[in-house]
Amino acid sequence: LTPWADDVDALLYNFMPGQEVGRAIASVLFGDVNPSARLPVTMPTTDNEVEFTTEQYPGMGLILTANYTENLLIGYRWYDANGVEPQFPFGHGLSYTSFEYAPACTATRNDATGVVTVTLDITNTGGTAGSEVAQLYAEMPVGLGEPLRQLKAFSKLALGAGETAAVSFELNTRDLSIWDEAVHDGPKAACLARVSQCALGAARATCAPSAPFCSSTQALHLTKRRVLALG
């Protein structure tokens, strides 16, 4: 919890550091290395922001028994479903340069394999080389009991200053389907999900589909904060 976050120029998180952590942190702070990692967890604004009950954690009874009544709404899925803005969102991280996402991406489906390929351009608009981690989220139709959006793929792209390159993701039918508990079979449909957001983080791109499964302009709300995630 960092109530002082707005009073400093930057934050540097390092997770599970090893024996070279001193050199790694120094390299980032002195600009020898441009950080490009992303937060693997959601940083809350307040303690127990997700409103866990004692029944959920640590559990009830002489021998603690936890009931997972939150179902699938874990981490960023809970924040998205409840419209709560965390201190720093899952998947967020900044660097010493800036990136711009193309205003639209393309999504094509191979009818023979069912594989969906999503592609978009990313440009390093800053004055130094760096890497961007593009993240792809998909949303299931309403009424299936699934989280609003789910991370399905991510890719790190190294770009020189001013360079533009394409990043692509491939999703198979399992990535875009769910198990049908009623008939104990799956996938429930060949392709249920829509690609709702091609990339999240410092920038966003709306999907311009070339296949009927992919049609959504909704975006997961991520606020850009001054965070450097070391990894």
Side-chain angles (χ1 to χ4, degrees):
L1 302 181
T2 53
W4 40 263
D6 291 331
D7 299 325
V8 297
D9 292 331
L11 297 179
L12 176 63
Y13 282 97
N14 69 93
F15 289 86
M16 298 183 179
Q19 65 181 13
E20 292 298 314
V21 63
R23 294 177 184 271
I25 292 177
S27 294
V28 170
L29 293 179
F30 284 95
D32 298 325
V33 173
N34 193 352
S36 59
R38 296 296 179 264
L39 292 176
V41 296
T42 301
M43 296 294 183
T45 302
T46 61
D47 188 28
N48 195 23
E49 192 166 54
V50 297
E51 301 175 346
F52 270 139
T53 65
T54 304
E55 180 187 12
Q56 293 171 319
Y57 180 84
M60 305 286 286
L62 182 61
I63 299 178
L64 293 177
T65 301
N67 293 314
Y68 299 103
T69 53
E70 67 274 20
N71 297 315
L72 299 177
L73 299 182
I74 302 297
Y76 72 87
R77 301 171 183 84
W78 182 92
Y79 282 87
D80 196 18
N82 290 276
V84 176
E85 182 179 331
Q87 183 79 53
F88 304 115
F90 167 85
H92 182 65
L94 301 180
S95 73
Y96 294 133
T97 190
S98 56
F99 299 93
E100 182 176 287
Y101 286 48
C105 67
T106 60
T108 58
R109 182 179 181 184
N110 185 317
D111 291 332
T113 64
V115 172
V116 175
T117 302
V118 180
T119 304
L120 78 156
D121 290 336
I122 301 177
T123 301
N124 181 345
T125 57
T128 186
S131 296
E132 173 70 338
V133 180
Q135 303 160 50
L136 181 121
Y137 291 77
E139 73 175 59
M140 294 292 183
V142 176
L144 295 178
E146 292 292 302
L148 179 60
R149 295 177 190 87
Q150 301 175 55
L151 177 67
K152 292 298 182 179
F154 59 90
S155 180
K156 178 180 284 189
L157 187 64
L159 296 170
E163 183 182 0
T164 297
V167 61
S168 294
F169 307 93
E170 287 193 349
L171 304 175
N172 58 38
T173 54
R174 284 185 175 271
D175 293 324
L176 301 174
S177 305
I178 65 171
W179 181 264
D180 192 325
E181 296 181 5
V183 299
H184 294 282
D185 195 8
K188 190 169 185 178
C191 187
L192 289 174
R194 322 175 210 248
V195 174
S196 63
Q197 197 66 34
C198 289
L200 299 175
R204 303 181 181 90
T206 300
C207 219
S210 54
F213 81 97
C214 175
S215 58
S216 176
T217 57
Q218 297 182 7
L220 177 61
H221 178 61
L222 294 182
T223 302
K224 184 174 180 179
R225 306 300 295 267
R226 299 186 303 278
V227 181
L228 300 179
L230 177 64

